[in-house]
Amino acid sequence: VNTFTRAEAMDLRAAVEGRLLGFNLSLGYGFRRFSDDTSFRSETNPGLNTTNQSRITIFDRFHPIRGNTNYGNFNAQRTFAKKLDFTARVIYSLTDRDFGFFETITGRDNTNPAGNIIELDRFEIRGDAKRPQTRGDLGLTYAVTDKLRISETFTFDTFNITGGNAFAEAVTRRTAAGGPLASQFTNSLFYRVTGFRRFVNTVEADYQFNRRLGVNVGYRFTHRRVNLVGFDQPLPPATNLTRTIKDEEEENQTNTLIAGTRIKPHDNWSIFADVEIGESDNAFTRLANYKFTNLRLRSIWRFNQFAFNLSAITKDNENPSFSTTNPTGDFIANTKSRIFSGYVDWTPMQKLSVSAGYTYQHLTSETDIVVPLAALTRGVSQY
């Protein structure tokens, strides 16, 4: 099938920055327009199986898309009395799409050994969609003492996707001998509204005991709500015009512990360590949250013209789910990743530097699966 691709996009952006009432402010606006006119065409195509009667004489598909996006962002920052730092950001965007899907096929089908003659099989799908989104970020850091700082970070994100399409198909056929067959017509409407709302709140304390030792500890909470409403509506000539209503809602929340330290045993030697333990959102709303433990270690030592860097990153992730059909029960995917890295830099002079290093990565996974034997059987996939 030959493919012809044509896509165009145009972006315009403008921004202004300034200072007002002690606040550092910035305001930006952007506009994007794009189009995609990809099409497909094939003639006299017998397909992979050339022993049957099924074949395409003409195949045409045109899938035009038109879209616009308007977006703006506002930022504000100020430090009060050298004690409280305030940072805020708001982003708003509005995206709309108009699309079509037009397909024409002629040839023979495979409904009987001789194959009916398809004079015309025509699809026409027209639809549109709109997606407004608002995201806000707020950060506050308060210096309680010269050694203790407390920070609060809040993020709010929400969007709605509304869209639908009208589907129409007309099929005109004749028998292999040329006799007439009844034409077939299909018409239907589809409409969906998807709502998404999520906020993340992180509280963290940072304490610097002295120039050699500092620690931080924090807690992150997230809450997500997703809802879907809509309908599927058959249209005449269908005899059953019952409208099917879609109405679903899911809520989810996670908790995560954050901790870290920075140790400086010597003026030329620094050690960093960070850990996160908790849960994160699963992209698939009907599955449980990911349970994870992430650990990162890094050591940097500088001696004369040399710099030695050692690091290690470990990630343990558990993705639990539950099967409601036989075999029922908990199905869990465990993934463990280990990355160890080390390198050395040598800078004998300002205009010359030499570096060499080595990185080792090791990944293991163990996943509960269903094996299709004579009966569905529980199994394990290991990698």
Side-chain angles (χ1 to χ4, degrees), residues 134-171:
T134 302
R135 171 168 178 157
D137 299 284
L138 173 65
L140 297 171
T141 300
Y142 180 65
V144 182
T145 67
D146 292 341
K147 295 184 177 181
L148 175 63
R149 292 183 305 173
I150 298 177
S151 63
E152 157 75 14
T153 305
F154 179 79
T155 297
F156 176 79
D157 191 8
T158 181
F159 63 81
N160 289 294
I161 303 175
T162 60
N165 64 265
F167 173 90
E169 181 186 13
V171 181

Side-chain angles (χ1 to χ4, degrees), residues 249-310:
E249 182 174 318
E250 295 282 345
E251 289 198 20
N252 179 56
Q253 61 187 37
T254 66
N255 302 274
T256 304
L257 175 66
I258 307 167
T261 183
R262 178 182 179 181
I263 306 173
K264 200 169 186 179
H266 189 271
D267 290 345
N268 297 331
W269 185 17
S270 297
I271 300 174
F272 305 87
D274 298 285
V275 63
E276 288 191 8
I277 303 174
E279 301 173 329
S280 64
D281 278 344
N282 195 316
F284 302 98
T285 57
R286 293 175 181 84
L287 295 184
N289 295 321
Y290 296 110
K291 298 179 180 179
F292 69 90
T293 300
N294 296 335
L295 175 65
R296 179 180 63 176
L297 297 170
R298 186 180 181 187
S299 172
I300 303 175
W301 179 47
R302 293 178 175 85
F303 178 74
N304 292 335
Q305 301 164 343
F306 292 90
F308 301 89
N309 191 314
L310 298 174

Side-chain angles (χ1 to χ4, degrees), residues 45-95:
N45 192 337
L48 293 176
N49 185 2
T50 58
T51 62
N52 63 15
Q53 297 297 322
S54 178
R55 66 189 64 251
I56 290 176
T57 305
I58 294 177
F59 170 81
D60 275 315
R61 177 184 292 170
F62 182 44
H63 190 18
I65 301 175
R66 301 288 184 271
N68 300 291
T69 298
N70 290 271
Y71 59 93
N73 59 78
F74 175 75
N75 298 272
Q77 185 277 329
R78 182 178 178 180
T79 301
F80 297 88
K82 299 183 180 179
K83 282 281 190 177
L84 177 64
D85 185 79
F86 168 87
T87 304
R89 177 181 67 171
V90 177
I91 303 174
Y92 177 79
S93 64
L94 177 61
T95 301

